[in-house]
Structures are given as structure tokens and as C-alpha cells.
Amino acid sequence: MAGSWDGSYDPGSQSDDSHHFERLHIEPLYDAFVCPLTKQVMRDPVTLENGQTFEREAIEKWFKECRESGRRLVCPLTQKELKSADLNQSIALRNTIEEWTTRNEAAQLDMARRSLNMNSSEDDVLLSLRFIQRICQKNRSNKHVVRNADLIPMIVDMLKSSSRKVRCKALETLLAVVEEDEDNKAILAEGDTVRTIVKFLSHEQSKEREEAVSLLYELSKSEALCEKIGSINGAILILVGMTSSKSENISTVEKADKTLENLEKCENNVRQMAENGRLQPLLTQILEGPPETKHSMAAYLGDLVLNNDVKVHVAKTVGESLINIMKSGNMQSREAALKALNQISSFDASSKVLIEAGILPPLVRDLFTVGQLPMRLKEVSATILSNVVNSGYDVDSIPIGPDHQTLVSEDNVHNLLHLISNTGPPIECKLLQVLVGLTNSPTTVLNVVAAIKSSGATISLVQFIEVPQKDLRMASIKLLQNLSPHMGQELADALRGTVGQLSGLIRVISENTGISEEQAAAAGLLAELPERDLGLTRQMLDEGAFQLIISRVVKIKQGDIRGTRFVTPFLEGLVRVLARVTFVLSDEPDAVALCREYGLAALFIDLLQTNGIDNVQMVSAAALENLSLESKNLTRLPEMPPPGVCATIFPCFSKQPVITGLCRVHRGTCSLKESFCLLEGRAVHKLVALLDHTNAKVVEAALAALSTLLDDGVDIEQGVSVLCEAEGIKPILDVLLEKQTENLRRRAVWVVERLLRNDDIAYEVSGDQNVSTALVDAFHHADYRTRQIAERALKHVDKIPNFSGIFPNMG
């Protein structure tokens, strides 16, 4: 049975050569010290009833195996049966062994000490480190011995070895030396040792990283060392990176995470973690920390640069807590909370979270109440309010005062306007941005418009166009742009009646700094003003505004200005502003002169082909309609030579002279530049092509421009011929059939009726049941004027009797 002992029990044994020093005993090793089973020096010797001595754990294991296998209890050495399994402690022998071990370990430790230097071989150094590691793991009191022998600095020196094996073993040994020993940790923390350990975190070899993390984890258990570890540049950054690494093994990631958890004891470390992407400790402090800590952490949160996803997480986690601090804390705490809320609210999704957490009522209260906050904090509050209002949330659904008042209630808008007029530029800018947000929403814009009108604030808002602060000026222009569809005439009156504001808008548009959001907003504002306001157009003509706008449009078309996100709204606005000059041609000779000098008809024809920008095509077609309507007035009619004497006496002998080169439609000398003739400008084909556009407004504008060729005062028969040659008849009939909008149907019925005055077309169309049905539908359901025109069209195709032919003498 003794031969079956496998030696698996081996307390303190290692598979390497760590017993090298034990074999070099200063005093001889007595046989009585060695357990017959383990062949190792005993630590807890016990004696059986027959006087044989063994290591306690070894003989207990022997007895257990005997019982489990059903064998008799026998002595492993004598093989004789034992009556009892009682074990008697050999105190004297144990004391003797301990004294012998102490003397020998001291000598062996001295030998290991002599090997710990850069001149020793790699094997000797590794053996020494393993020995030190083993004795520290064997008995905690040995850590005191290692410390007193000044071995810790010597082990630290081995971290500088050129051997990777030595460096790894030195880290491993240091862990054994300092584990659960505060004094040894304090010695290890002296000098740059911790910095050296941190450097191993970024080593390529994973084994060194693992050992370094394990050692730092042990050191971080000491609160005194947490600040030291965190103060080392890059330590927390690397540890945070390791916790999210997919290339590290699980054990290393867990140790790094636990190390960071320990480091959270120090507030500076918490700040560093937040800065490096580990925000939860800081958020926990805001939620659970004492008031002073909450204040300092909230202030630090306000200084952090957070990505948008993180802002949402922070808002959900501590948004409500920060709002509570903002409502009820002292001034310092409120300032810290406001800074943090300002940071979080700068993303739409996180702003919405804050609104749902209840930020609006206290925010508005702080802004509107005199003396509630110093002016520098009112600016922060105004910024937060601007952020949340511009997030797209329906703020009109949030009550913020008595009687279910909301932010767009008249009194509150009046308060905002009052603040805008009585604070400095930074707050004015933010409050204007609040109004921009409120007027961006179709559900709240009318409330704001009504409040502005009732407060008489239009003039004061327009005056901001002239301020030197660019942000403030841009906010005011964006607000006025949002207001212009609802109070265009009031704004036009204000711009005409206030010195400098119109010029200021033109100056913004003409800046040669690329295309900015401010320029796009300025163009959009001017575009929304009433297009038939002759006074405003005259002032723009006097100030040379249209020439500047033409220059900008041409540069964009030529590709000299491109590649910015605002180029499309800017071009749309410019074209709309430019088109207003075509609405006053009959009243303003200077407008006609401008169109001729700068070739506006040709420019608008070119703009018809701005594919992808529907508004530009629509406005260009509308401008061409206005220009074409003036063609019949601007064409130069031929001067007929006076008749001769014979012709005067005998008219039958007179012959009408033939004049060539006249415009078929306008019966005079036409040109695109001078009389804006669509035929001369070869615009008809381009307008016909737009009749197939998917946007009904573009189709309507193109059809309106084409209809000028069939207008009273021109040769309608020739106009019909021009449309036939341009293959425009079928597209026009298709527009009638599709009936996209009522306006489009009204226009299409008018044009079709003019076309059907041509007998050939009437004959062709009379066989098309679809056209007849569309005309009948218009006759039954359209407005009175269109019904009349549809009736005439139906007569042309003989769908309604023409009573004037039956009763020629009537009427």
C-alpha cells in the first residue's frame, strides 16, 4: 500500500527548481524532519499510536483513502493495522523543525539576495525570485523578513532586466511580497516604482500586462495608493481601455475593472475616468455622493466633452438629479448643475429626455424672475432653454405656469420679448434662438406671431439685423425668416421704414465668404416678403440689390460657389428675390431696364434646367410668365408707310406692304433681351418639358408661362401653332386629365379652351372621351369662372349645343 502513494499531496512544493536553496542547507537535514509520505520537511508533525510521525494533512489524506476504498486502517510504513486513527501533535518536533527552518531560510534568503543583481545569470535570478515568492506564500511572517532584508528594492530593480522571463517573474514575486501587507505596499510605492509597473500595461507581451494588472489591483486595495496610481499619466486611460478590449483575456479585463473600482475611492480618479470614457463612477457620485461631492462632480460634468450617445445616457441617469439641484441647491450647486445641463442639452435626443424629466418649469422661472439668478447664469439658462426648444419636442404640451400656461402662451412670449430688449447680446442671442425654435414648429409659430403683433415688437426685432455680433444677427434673421410667411407685410413695412436694415440684409447676402447659414436665412427672409410690394422693390432697385443678387446666382450656376450645405436654400432664396422684379414691370420702368441690361429672361430660362431644385424651376417659370406677359407691350410694332395719293382716292388700288421678320405671336419685332419673348428665347420646349414634372407647383408655373402665348392681345392662332410645333398639345391635355390640384385644373381648362379654338385640334380632341370627361367634370364641379370656360371648351368639341349658331340674332 505504501507503494501506491502517488505523492500528490505536496504542500509548498513547486514543479520548478524553487527548492534549490532548500537543498543547500547550512545545517544538516535530519530524517526525523521529513514526512515519510511527502518526502518534505514537516510543518505540523503528528504521531500515530505506533509511534510513527507524519505530516498531519498527509496522514489524514491516507486515512481518508483507506476508508473510501474499504481497506483496513494500517500504518503506511509498517503496514500493521491500527486500532485508532487518533493523531497526537508532536509539539517539540514542530518547534525544532521551525527553528531549523528559520535558520536555514535566513541563510537561503541571503544566498537569494546575492543573486538578485544584473550580473547574475538569468537562471540564478529566476531561482532567487521563485524562492522569495514561495516563502512569502508559505508564511505571511516571511514578508516581514523580506522587507527587513531590503529585498523589495532589489526585486524592483529586476523589472529593468532585459529578460522578459525575469521581468514577468519579478512582477509575480512583488505581488506575493505585497499581498495583504500594507507596510510592503508602502515601500513598493516609494519613488517611481508604480510608474514603472504602469508602463508594463502597454507592453506588447500579454503575460507582462497580466502580471502588471494583477499587481496594480493588489496595490489599489490600499486607499493610500489609489491617488498615487491615478496620478501617473496614462494609468487610468490604459486601464479603461483594457476593460473594453476584446483582445485581452477575461482575467486581465476583470482585474483591470476591479482596479478601477478600487481607484474610485479618490475623486480625482473619478474625474479622470469620466474624461477617458468611464462615466458611471462620476454619475454614481452625483446620485449618491454627499452634497459637496455632488456639486464638484456636476461642475466637472459640465466641462467634459461628451459624444451624443453618452449625452442621452447621462440625461437618463442623472438628468432628474441635476434638475433637482438646479431647483433647490445653493448658488454654487445650481451653477454646477446648470453647467452640466447645458452640456447634456446640446443634443436633441438628450434634450427631450430632460424635458420629460421636468426641466422646463424651473428653467423658465429662473429666467423670468428678477433676482433669481445672476446674469451670467441667466445666460446659461437661456442657452439650455434654446437647446431644449430647438430639439423638436412639442413644448406646447408642457405646462409651465398657472392655468395650464405653456411657453407659447402670450404672457410668456411677451416676457421673452421683454428680456430680449433688456439684456446683453449673449442672452439676447440665446433668447432669439428660443423664438427661432418656437417658430420652427407649425403648431406654435402662430402663437408667437400673435404675441409679437400684440406687443408691437416687430421694429425692435428687425433692428437686430444691424448689430455687429454675428451670432445675434444670424439668430434675428432666422427668426424673421420664420415669421415672414405669417407677417410678411409687417416686416416689409418695417424694413422700408427703418434706416439701414434692408441694406444690412443685402450686405449679408453679398458677403464673399462661401455660403453661410446666415446668408441662406437672409435670402429666405427677403424671398418671403410680399412680391408685389412696389415700395420695397423700388428701394431694392435704388440700392442696387438686384445686381448683387444676379452676380451671386450667376456664380453659383457657373460653379464658382459650390459644395456647401446651404447652397440649395441660398439659391432658392436668391431666385425668389430676383423674380420679384418681374412683378412690377408694368409700373416700374427701372425694372424693365434692369431685366434688359442683365438679360434676366435668358437667366430664368437657364434656371429652368436646375434639375433637383423644384423651387428654383417653379419660380423661374413664374418669372418667365411675368416677363412674357409684358412682351406684347414691349414688342416694336412695324411702322406702315403712308398710302399714296391714288390709294387714298381709290382704296381698291392699294396693296398692303409685306414686312418680314416679325414675331408670329406678338406681331412685332421681338427679342429675348428687349421684349422677353419666349419664342425668341427658345424657351417653349423647355417649359413643355416641365409639364411632365412630378411637382404639381412646377407644372402649374410652366403651364402659366406657356399660357401667355395664348393670351388676349397676342395672335392666339399662332400661339397654338407654336405649341403644336413644340409638341406641347398632348402634355397640356395630360395635365388636364391628371387633375393634380384645383389651381392646376383651372389653368389647364383655360389653356385647353384656347387650344380648341383651332378647328383641327378640336376635331382631334372630340374623339378623345377622356378629355371630354375631364371638361365635363370641370363644368360640373369647378368654380364659376372655370365652369364658364369649360362650357366654351365643350362647345368647341360639340359636346354642348352652340345656341348662338341656332339663334344668330340673339344677343
Side-chain angles (χ1 to χ4, degrees):
M1 286 182 65
S4 69
W5 175 254
D6 60 7
S8 60
Y9 172 78
D10 189 2
S13 71
Q14 295 182 358
S15 60
D16 53 37
D17 296 327
S18 61
H19 294 296
H20 168 77
F21 293 101
E22 282 94 323
R23 293 197 293 271
L24 299 174
H25 299 132
I26 304 304
E27 296 184 14
L29 175 61
Y30 299 100
D31 291 341
F33 292 177
V34 178
C35 173
L37 289 175
T38 66
K39 304 299 188 284
Q40 301 293 328
V41 176
M42 291 182 285
R43 289 180 299 170
D44 187 8
V46 291
T47 304
L48 304 181
E49 62 182 39
N50 63 1
Q52 298 295 330
T53 302
F54 300 91
E55 177 68 53
R56 179 187 292 275
E57 289 187 32
I59 191 63
E60 285 178 345
K61 183 177 180 183
W62 170 268
F63 286 164
K64 181 181 178 184
E65 289 178 354
C66 288
R67 293 189 190 95
E68 288 176 351
S69 62
R71 297 193 298 264
R72 294 176 296 118
L73 287 182
V74 297
C75 173
L77 285 180
T78 63
Q79 295 299 305
K80 292 183 178 179
E81 187 174 356
L82 298 171
K83 296 178 182 179
S84 167
D86 292 342
L87 303 174
N88 299 311
Q89 193 173 19
S90 301
I91 297 175
L93 178 59
R94 187 177 71 177
N95 291 340
T96 302
I97 290 173
E98 286 178 354
E99 292 170 3
W100 176 88
T101 300
T102 301
R103 291 193 300 273
N104 276 287
E105 283 183 347
Q108 292 156 359
L109 198 59
D110 186 58
M111 292 173 65
R113 190 177 191 280
R114 289 197 295 272
S115 297
L116 286 179
N117 60 73
M118 294 299 182
N119 297 322
S120 298
S121 68
E122 180 186 271
D123 287 344
D124 285 347
V125 174
L126 289 172
L127 287 172
S128 298
L129 291 172
R130 286 172 184 144
F131 173 72
I132 296 168
Q133 178 186 6
R134 194 187 70 78
I135 64 170
C136 288
Q137 290 171 339
K138 175 182 173 183
N139 194 328
R140 287 186 61 181
S141 63
N142 286 335
K143 298 181 183 186
H144 176 75
V145 175
V146 169
R147 179 171 69 247
N148 289 343
D150 289 330
L151 282 170
I152 296 176
M154 298 179 72
I155 302 170
V156 169
D157 285 341
M158 294 301 103
L159 296 176
K160 302 170 186 175
S161 170
S162 59
S163 166
R164 182 179 65 83
K165 289 182 179 178
V166 169
R167 295 195 301 269
C168 282
K169 181 50 71 175
L171 289 167
E172 196 177 333
T173 304
L174 285 172
L175 175 58
V177 170
V178 302
E179 198 166 16
E180 299 182 5
D181 193 306
E182 292 298 315
D183 292 333
N184 284 1
K185 288 177 183 176
I187 292 173
L188 185 62
E190 292 174 358
D192 279 347
T193 304
V194 178
R195 185 185 304 277
T196 302
I197 296 167
V198 168
K199 287 181 180 178
F200 280 99
L201 296 179
S202 55
H203 274 216
E204 291 182 8
Q205 293 294 331
S206 61
K207 180 65 176 171
E208 289 174 290
R209 289 199 304 274
E210 291 170 23
E211 297 297 345
V213 169
S214 297
L215 181 52
L216 281 175
Y217 169 53
E218 181 60 35
L219 294 176
S220 69
K221 294 176 182 177
S222 170
E223 193 166 343
L225 288 179
C226 285
E227 187 170 357
K228 174 114 183 176
I229 296 170
S231 68
I232 296 167
N233 188 33
I236 288 177
L237 171 62
I238 297 170
L239 286 167
V240 170
M242 293 177 82
T243 60
S244 58
S245 172
K246 295 180 180 178
S247 59
E248 300 286 355
N249 66 49
I250 295 174
S251 173
T252 303
V253 171
E254 288 178 352
K255 288 280 177 61
D257 192 61
K258 289 179 180 177
T259 303
L260 288 168
E261 287 178 8
N262 290 338
L263 296 180
E264 291 172 16
K265 301 183 188 89
C266 175
E267 284 190 20
N268 285 333
N269 293 344
V270 171
R271 293 188 181 92
Q272 277 197 70
M273 290 177 202
E275 188 177 343
N276 291 299
R278 188 180 173 96
L279 265 176
Q280 195 53 49
L282 182 141
L283 302 182
T284 302
Q285 293 281 19
I286 292 175
L287 290 171
E288 303 172 4
E292 300 79 11
T293 303
K294 286 186 177 184
H295 161 243
S296 66
M297 292 300 169
Y300 191 74
L301 180 60
D303 292 330
L304 288 176
V305 177
L306 307 174
N307 68 45
N308 290 336
D309 289 340
V310 172
K311 288 175 186 174
V312 175
H313 170 69
V314 172
K316 290 178 177 178
T317 307
V318 297
E320 191 172 348
S321 295
L322 291 171
I323 292 168
N324 288 333
I325 296 172
M326 180 189 79
K327 289 194 294 188
S328 56
N330 58 37
M331 195 56 69
Q332 267 191 327
S333 298
R334 293 173 72 185
E335 180 173 4
L338 284 169
K339 279 180 64 180
L341 290 166
N342 185 24
Q343 166 73 270
I344 302 167
S345 66
S346 58
F347 179 52
D348 289 350
S350 50
S351 275
K352 292 175 181 177
V353 174
L354 293 177
I355 293 173
E356 290 171 356
I359 194 172
L360 267 179
L363 200 59
V364 173
R365 182 198 64 204
D366 284 351
L367 271 172
F368 290 169
T369 306
V370 177
Q372 190 76 15
L373 286 177
M375 206 51 82
R376 60 187 173 80
L377 294 188
K378 278 190 182 287
E379 181 183 344
V380 181
S381 294
T383 306
I384 299 169
L385 184 59
S386 169
N387 290 340
V388 298
V389 167
N390 282 280
S391 68
Y393 196 98
D394 180 17
V395 295
D396 194 31
S397 64
I398 307 295
I400 59 169
D403 303 322
H404 303 288
Q405 280 193 342
T406 68
L407 190 56
V408 291
S409 297
E410 187 175 50
D411 288 347
N412 287 325
V413 177
H414 284 173
N415 286 333
L416 283 172
L417 294 168
H418 177 75
L419 272 177
I420 290 170
S421 301
N422 294 279
T423 52
I427 299 181
E428 288 171 342
C429 179
K430 298 304 178 184
L431 294 177
L432 283 172
Q433 288 172 0
V434 171
L435 291 177
V436 169
L438 294 174
T439 53
N440 277 336
S441 168
T443 62
T444 55
V445 60
L446 295 179
N447 300 70
V448 178
V449 168
I452 290 173
K453 288 180 177 179
S454 65
S455 66
T458 306
I459 298 292
S460 61
L461 291 175
V462 168
Q463 288 173 345
F464 282 110
I465 294 173
E466 282 293 294
V467 298
Q469 295 87 357
K470 187 168 183 177
D471 288 348
L472 180 55
R473 186 178 68 218
M474 183 169 77
S476 71
I477 292 174
K478 288 172 68 176
L479 172 60
L480 295 173
Q481 181 192 10
N482 288 351
L483 296 173
S484 56
H486 310 282
M487 48 188 300
Q489 192 58 59
E490 292 90 336
L491 293 177
D493 293 341
L495 286 169
R496 277 191 282 104
T498 309
V499 179
Q501 271 69 45
L502 182 59
S503 301
L505 280 177
I506 303 302
R507 246 192 333 271
V508 169
I509 289 172
S510 62
E511 287 177 356
N512 286 313
T513 54
I515 299 174
S516 66
E517 184 181 11
E518 182 184 23
Q519 288 178 306
L525 166 57
L526 280 175
E528 288 289 350
L529 299 180
E531 54 201 13
R532 298 185 185 275
D533 188 316
L534 183 58
L536 186 62
T537 303
R538 278 179 177 159
Q539 189 171 338
M540 292 176 70
L541 283 166
D542 293 341
E543 296 187 10
F546 293 109
Q547 290 90 326
L548 289 169
I549 290 169
I550 292 167
S551 171
R552 296 294 272 172
V553 171
V554 170
K555 284 183 178 180
I556 293 172
K557 284 296 293 177
Q558 291 175 343
D560 295 340
I561 306 173
R562 59 186 175 188
T564 77
R565 53 189 285 222
F566 301 110
V567 66
T568 296
F570 186 50
L571 179 61
E572 289 177 342
L574 291 179
V575 173
R576 288 182 66 190
V577 176
L578 192 56
R580 72 178 295 120
V581 79
T582 67
F583 286 88
V584 297
L585 294 172
S586 58
D587 302 309
E588 186 55 64
D590 287 345
V592 175
L594 178 85
C595 292
R596 285 172 168 169
E597 181 180 353
Y598 289 93
L600 283 197
L603 178 57
F604 283 121
I605 290 171
D606 188 33
L607 288 168
L608 288 177
Q609 300 177 86
T610 312
N611 295 326
I613 310 181
D614 294 0
N615 287 339
V616 170
Q617 293 177 302
M618 177 185 69
V619 173
S620 299
L624 288 171
E625 176 194 5
N626 295 335
L627 290 165
S628 183
L629 285 171
E630 282 300 304
S631 294
K632 60 190 175 188
N633 302 321
L634 299 175
T635 189
R636 285 192 298 111
L637 297 175
E639 294 183 8
M640 305 299 291
V645 176
C646 292
T648 305
I649 300 172
F650 304 105
C652 59
F653 291 106
S654 68
K655 184 177 181 181
Q656 192 74 17
V658 177
I659 302 175
T660 60
L662 298 182
C663 175
R664 297 160 56 188
V665 175
H666 300 114
R667 307 187 190 94
T669 303
C670 275
S671 71
L672 178 64
K673 186 176 180 66
E674 294 297 322
S675 63
F676 320 133
C677 178
L678 296 182
L679 191 58
E680 292 294 322
R682 299 179 180 176
V684 178
H685 282 87
K686 295 173 183 176
L687 289 166
V688 168
L690 289 180
L691 296 179
D692 192 37
H693 202 286
T694 55
N695 187 327
K697 291 185 177 180
V698 176
V699 176
E700 184 181 343
L703 187 60
L706 290 170
S707 71
T708 61
L709 301 176
L710 308 175
D711 203 12
D712 295 335
V714 304
D715 192 323
I716 297 176
E717 187 175 344
Q718 286 298 319
V720 173
S721 297
V722 168
L723 291 174
C724 284
E725 291 163 12
E727 298 181 350
I729 305 302
K730 184 178 184 306
I732 291 172
L733 294 175
D734 288 342
V735 171
L736 174 66
L737 298 178
E738 289 172 5
K739 297 184 295 186
Q740 295 182 48
T741 67
E742 192 58 38
N743 283 340
L744 199 49
R745 177 165 75 169
R746 186 182 303 116
R747 178 72 68 176
V749 168
W750 186 93
V751 173
V752 168
E753 189 275 328
R754 300 261 162 159
L755 293 176
L756 294 178
R757 294 180 186 183
N758 180 290
D759 291 340
D760 293 336
I761 295 176
Y763 178 76
E764 290 290 333
V765 170
S766 64
D768 189 332
Q769 187 60 40
N770 291 327
V771 175
S772 299
T773 301
L775 289 171
V776 169
D777 185 65
F779 176 65
H780 286 149
H781 302 109
D783 61 76
Y784 176 73
R785 175 67 180 152
T786 304
R787 291 205 307 272
Q788 285 185 318
I789 297 171
E791 180 183 7
R792 290 201 297 270
L794 288 167
K795 288 177 181 179
H796 295 321
V797 292
D798 296 329
K799 297 299 179 182
I800 293 181
N802 191 341
F803 292 107
S804 60
I806 300 172
F807 305 106
N809 296 323
M810 288 184 65

